[in-house]
Amino acid sequence: MKFSIERKDKIAELLAEEVREQLGSEAGIDQIEGALREIAKEVSGLGLQKVIEESEERYRCAVECGCGQVAHPIGKRSAVLWTVFGKVEYRRRYYVCSGCHVGQSPLDAKHGIKPGQTTGALASLLGIWGVEVSFEEASQLAERFLLFRVSDDEGAVPL
Ligand SMILES: [Zn+2]
């Protein structure tokens, strides 16, 4: 994927500015690298949230339910997605069927998202680690490399 060089420079400058402000000018390379990884993870999670939320199609007063009846909007609801950037929360319109009372979100369906579960990218990373090592070790590796903990307590879904 090719990125806009101009935009990439702007983002890099903002990241550098943030790290300089947080760490001062005496920070060592390990501190600087760690801080950049941490902020890149957080910013990317926020970016993912924005891309998902902003891709929501215009308001529809009804959508079709799997049972053949019609589902109506009941407002916006939050959902959680576990990604390589950690836990990402987003809000989207939620519809409930007047017949069978099953809920659905067209935005989730559009992106193939199952709220509360992992993205394919995270699942495949954890799967690879899971094959090589125990779940506990995979969880520790995730914490070390992805900078967040993957455990039953936190709600992430083990494979
Ligand atoms: Zn229904």
Side-chain angles (χ1 to χ4, degrees), residues 8 20 22 77 83 102 113 128-129 131 139 154 159:
K8 201 161 65 176
R20 277 194 303 267
Q22 293 287 327
R77 278 198 180 173
T83 77
V102 168
I113 293 173
I128 288 164
W129 289 339
V131 169
S139 181
E154 296 282 321
L159 302 171

Side-chain angles (χ1 to χ4, degrees), residues 1-13:
M1 183 182 280
K2 287 208 170 185
F3 301 101
S4 146
I5 292 170
E6 195 182 319
R7 200 171 292 144
K8 201 161 65 176
D9 278 348
K10 274 186 200 162
I11 294 168
E13 193 47 57

Side-chain angles (χ1 to χ4, degrees), residues 65-70 97-102:
C65 178
C67 75
Q69 297 186 64
V70 174
C97 177
S98 48
C100 71
H101 306 293
V102 168

Side-chain angles (χ1 to χ4, degrees), residues 1-80:
M1 183 182 280
K2 287 208 170 185
F3 301 101
S4 146
I5 292 170
E6 195 182 319
R7 200 171 292 144
K8 201 161 65 176
D9 278 348
K10 274 186 200 162
I11 294 168
E13 193 47 57
L14 287 170
L15 291 178
E17 192 183 324
E18 180 68 18
V19 168
R20 277 194 303 267
E21 271 183 33
Q22 293 287 327
L23 300 178
S25 56
E26 303 300 315
I29 187 67
D30 291 344
Q31 270 184 300
I32 296 168
E33 186 181 37
L36 278 168
R37 285 183 65 202
E38 187 72 34
I39 194 172
K41 184 197 102 185
E42 284 183 31
V43 168
S44 297
L46 201 55
L48 181 56
Q49 177 202 337
K50 287 180 185 297
V51 172
I52 292 172
E53 287 180 348
E54 286 162 16
S55 70
E56 184 156 46
E57 285 161 20
R58 67 184 172 78
Y59 178 83
R60 283 150 69 187
C61 55
V63 297
E64 198 176 313
C65 178
C67 75
Q69 297 186 64
V70 174
H72 295 283
I74 58 161
K76 286 209 166 190
R77 278 198 180 173
S78 292
V80 165

